[in-house]
Amino acid sequence: MSHLRIPKNWTIQRSTPFFTKENVPQALLNHHNTAKGVFGQLCVMEGQVTYYGFADENTTEPEAVVVINAGQFATSPPQYWHRIELSDDAQFNINFWSESSQKHQPMYHSKS
């Protein structure tokens, strides 16, 4: 799960600013997924981020748990439901990879 390969012809379309516990968007802490044709690459600069992957939007028990430490990254495939938890000192950002044609499309969807 932590190193699913991003297709080699895809490029970063958008990147988030760095997030901490104080400014992380609530959507990332709850069930959400990357959009069709979009890979998320979560890069941890400080602390630790735990990634929980789910079989679908209604499942509450994770099928995958990946701990991402400072200096590491993990990828999330298109349309895969997940959420994260942060250590108190965590600092991270997310790069959204896709084909160039996806540049102006939504990069993720949150559960309502």
Side-chain angles (χ1 to χ4, degrees), residues 51-71:
Y51 172 102
Y52 297 92
F54 300 93
D56 58 52
E57 74 177 295
N58 297 312
T59 302
T60 57
E61 285 298 313
E63 65 179 4
V65 178
V66 179
V67 176
I68 313 155
N69 294 303

Side-chain angles (χ1 to χ4, degrees), residues 62-107:
E63 65 179 4
V65 178
V66 179
V67 176
I68 313 155
N69 294 303
Q72 298 178 329
F73 72 90
T75 57
S76 188
Q79 298 182 295
Y80 185 66
W81 289 93
H82 58 280
R83 69 175 180 82
I84 60 169
E85 287 181 0
L86 285 64
S87 64
D88 289 339
D89 60 344
Q91 183 177 5
F92 72 98
N93 82 316
I94 303 169
N95 297 314
F96 294 101
W97 293 76
S98 70
E99 293 184 284
S100 300
S101 62
Q102 289 284 111
K103 189 171 192 160
H104 301 291
Q105 301 301 314
M107 295 288 128

Side-chain angles (χ1 to χ4, degrees), residues 2-96:
S2 65
H3 291 290
L4 294 175
R5 187 173 299 273
I6 296 169
K8 65 182 177 181
N9 61 320
W10 288 18
T11 58
I12 295 173
Q13 303 302 322
R14 293 186 208 154
S15 293
T16 68
F18 287 102
F19 295 127
T20 64
K21 265 199 154 171
E22 287 73 42
N23 68 351
V24 64
Q26 194 64 34
L28 298 179
L29 304 176
N30 297 308
H31 267 53
H32 66 284
N33 70 359
T34 44
K36 182 177 181 180
V38 176
F39 257 92
Q41 179 189 33
L42 194 151
C43 304
V44 179
M45 299 300 151
E46 292 181 26
Q48 186 178 78
V49 176
T50 304
Y51 172 102
Y52 297 92
F54 300 93
D56 58 52
E57 74 177 295
N58 297 312
T59 302
T60 57
E61 285 298 313
E63 65 179 4
V65 178
V66 179
V67 176
I68 313 155
N69 294 303
Q72 298 178 329
F73 72 90
T75 57
S76 188
Q79 298 182 295
Y80 185 66
W81 289 93
H82 58 280
R83 69 175 180 82
I84 60 169
E85 287 181 0
L86 285 64
S87 64
D88 289 339
D89 60 344
Q91 183 177 5
F92 72 98
N93 82 316
I94 303 169
N95 297 314
F96 294 101

